[in-house]
Amino acid sequence: GAGVSQSPRYKVTKRGQDVALRCDPISGHVSLYWYRQALGQGPEFLTYFNYEAQQDKSGLPNDRFSAERPEGSISTLTIQRTEQRDSAMYRCASSLGVRATNEKLFFGSGTQLSVL
Amino acid sequence: GNSVTQMEGPVTLSEEAFLTINCTYTATGYPSLFWYVQYPGEGLQLLLKATKADDKGSNKGFEATYRKETTSFHLEKGSVQVSDSAVYFCALNSGGSNYKLTFGKGTLLTVNP
C-alpha cells in the first residue's frame, strides 16, 4: 500500500479481554517498530523487527504484551488480559533498511485503544 | 538515559508570524536529532534531521541547528501558514540502540488566518 496501515483505528474493550492490533507496513520495508503514546506524551518504543526477527523487545511493559511478524511483513501486537492503564494510542512504523540508524520512519495513523 | 524536553504548548500564532519551538536533550554518545510532525488524523512524519554537531536540518521552510554546546535543537520558521497547524515532536536516537527513537512530549501549534 501507499503508507503504513493500522487496524482497527479504534478499539474499545473491557478489562480482562485480549486484543490484537494489526500493522501492515509499506511494501518492501524491512524494519518494523511498535510505539505506544499516552495522552499528552510522546511515543515510547515498544519493540522492533528486522524481517521476521524480533530484534528488541525491551520496551514491552510486561509479559502481557507480545508481538510477532511471522512472514516479515504484517505484524500483530497482542495484549492479554487488558488493564485500564493499557489505554493509549498504539503506533506502528516501518523503514526501508535493516540498520535503521538515521533512517526515515514512516508511521501509521495508529490504533486508539480504550480499556473500560 | 536519553531524554528530550520540549517547550510546553499549545502555541498559537497568526499567519506569517515567526515560530520557535525549543527542544533540549540529554543523551549518551553522539545522538542524531529529529523533528517529526503530526497533522490532524495522520501519522507522524519526519520533518527534518541532523546527524552531527553544527548540522542544520531544513525542510518546508523549517530549520533546526544541532547545538552540542547547549544540547539543543530548536525548530524555527520565519513565516508560518495555517497549514502548519500540527503537533511537533523533537526526538533523538543514540548509542547501540540507534534504531530506538526517544521523543519529547510534543508541542501543539495552531496558526490562525
Side-chain angles (χ1 to χ4, degrees):
Chain A
V4 177
S5 177
Q6 291 187 246
S7 61
R9 184 71 180 89
Y10 301 94
K11 178 67 178 179
V12 180
T13 190
K14 292 183 178 180
R15 186 178 53 179
Q17 297 294 306
D18 297 350
V19 296
L21 311 181
R22 174 187 165 118
C23 173
D24 194 347
I26 293 173
S27 179
H29 277 198
V30 166
S31 297
L32 184 145
Y33 314 78
W34 283 98
Y35 283 78
R36 179 171 71 171
Q37 185 174 7
L39 190 63
Q41 304 294 316
E44 292 184 331
F45 173 84
L46 294 178
T47 187
Y48 159 60
F49 292 83
N50 276 341
Y51 298 101
E52 73 282 359
Q54 191 172 21
Q55 299 292 334
D56 184 340
K57 56 181 182 179
S58 63
L60 295 177
N62 50 61
D63 60 8
R64 295 186 296 106
F65 286 73
S66 62
E68 62 175 8
R69 193 186 184 198
E71 298 180 356
S73 179
I74 293 169
S75 177
T76 302
L77 177 69
T78 301
I79 309 173
Q80 296 180 311
R81 305 181 301 282
T82 52
E83 301 178 4
Q84 287 185 330
R85 59 178 171 158
D86 300 334
S87 297
M89 176 72 81
Y90 289 82
R91 297 194 183 276
C92 177
S94 67
S95 66
L96 184 60
V98 173
R99 286 290 179 192
T101 307
N102 302 326
E103 277 211 332
K104 183 176 180 178
L105 265 62
F106 294 80
F107 282 83
S109 297
T111 294
Q112 181 66 54
L113 175 66
S114 297
V115 182
L116 304 178
Chain B
N2 297 339
S3 68
V4 174
T5 302
Q6 287 182 238
M7 66 183 287
E8 300 223 355
V11 175
T12 303
L13 296 173
S14 297
E15 206 164 21
E16 299 184 2
F18 184 85
L19 169 70
T20 299
I21 300 178
N22 290 339
C23 171
T24 58
Y25 66 89
T26 303
T28 56
Y30 302 95
S32 295
L33 303 174
F34 307 83
W35 277 99
Y36 276 80
V37 58
Q38 182 183 7
Y39 299 103
E42 299 183 11
L44 281 75
Q45 304 174 24
L46 178 64
L47 180 60
L48 53 84
K49 68 180 183 184
T51 59
K52 61 183 187 297
D54 299 324
D55 268 3
K56 177 185 285 188
S58 62
N59 186 24
K60 299 182 180 180
F62 290 89
E63 294 183 340
T65 301
Y66 188 139
R67 301 288 188 199
K68 187 178 179 182
E69 63 276 12
T70 54
T71 62
S72 65
F73 193 55
H74 305 320
L75 183 67
E76 297 182 336
K77 186 174 185 182
S79 177
V80 293
Q81 305 300 311
V82 172
S83 58
D84 295 326
S85 298
V87 182
Y88 292 82
F89 292 91
C90 187
L92 65 84
N93 66 17
S94 181
S97 302
N98 50 21
Y99 49 83
K100 189 185 303 186
L101 288 171
T102 299
F103 286 89
K105 293 184 178 182
T107 303
L108 173 63
L109 169 66
T110 301
V111 181
N112 295 318

